[in-house]
Amino acid sequence: NAGVTQTPKFQVLKTGQSMTLQCAQDMNHNSMYWYRQDPGMGLRLIYYSASEGTTDKGEVPNGYNVSRLNKREFSLRLESAAPSQTSVYFCASRNPAGPSNEKLFFGSGTQLSVL
Amino acid sequence: QQPVQSPQAVILREGEDAVINCSSSKALYSVHWYRQKHGEAPVFLMILLKGGEQKGHEKISASFNEKKQQSSLYLTASQLSYSGTYFCGSQAPGNQFYFGTGTSLTVIP
């Protein structure tokens, strides 16, 4: 019963470096999300995927790309990291068509620092 | 898109009550409430699906006024374990899901 697995937990990058945050869920959920959380800013939606094969921009997509590789996996890529992307990143999944408008399940988060 | 919460922060003594409000400029079809402890991921508290619906979870309950596009979270007889940041959340068309601005709640002995 892993739920949502997110890797890595911590990462330090230099400005201009690239990296991919990985997220996988084993609950057969259709929808997956990437959020970033900055102090005092709450959780802001970066990208989401309503179902396998689709991805869409959220509130703050600039500087990021995503891939919904299959139903289980949804990755977030920073092509050229900037200090403004220093944040805590959360992946989440849910089944919005579920009987009770299903809740979000979260990964444990990735603390990313860009120097 | 982000719902607005008030207050931004509140400090309570154990046993006191608190109300957290969530307001949206767009229609709310359902409202979720989550609590996040420092350094952890948010944890689900409850979903409200219908206008005017109230749900409860131990001493934490919530109401949802679909017409006013508002929801309120009520914490009664607060305990130290209630400390954390509370977020409301709402689904938008296309399965987007947005969280509110957050309310930091601190319960002191």
Side-chain angles (χ1 to χ4, degrees), chain A residues 33-104:
Chain A
Y33 305 83
W34 277 106
Y35 294 92
R36 61 177 288 174
Q37 186 171 33
D38 304 304
M41 296 294 290
L43 292 144
R44 292 184 292 169
L45 182 64
I46 306 172
Y47 269 94
Y48 69 102
S49 171
S51 60
E52 185 180 357
T54 68
T55 61
D56 284 288
K57 296 177 181 179
E59 300 167 274
V60 288
N62 291 345
Y64 305 96
N65 284 303
V66 290
S67 296
R68 183 75 183 266
L69 304 169
N70 46 55
K71 194 169 186 179
R72 289 187 65 249
E73 298 172 287
F74 188 39
S75 61
L76 179 73
R77 183 160 178 85
L78 287 72
E79 291 291 351
S80 179
S84 60
Q85 294 178 304
T86 294
S87 189
V88 179
Y89 292 84
F90 287 101
C91 175
S93 71
R94 68 194 279 253
N95 217 8
S100 60
N101 198 250
E102 291 290 342
K103 62 184 180 181
L104 273 78

Side-chain angles (χ1 to χ4, degrees), chain B residues 61-74:
Chain B
S61 61
S63 63
F64 176 27
N65 188 321
E66 190 177 341
K67 222 172 183 181
K68 292 186 178 180
Q69 297 170 185
Q70 294 175 345
S71 178
S72 294
L73 187 71
Y74 306 95

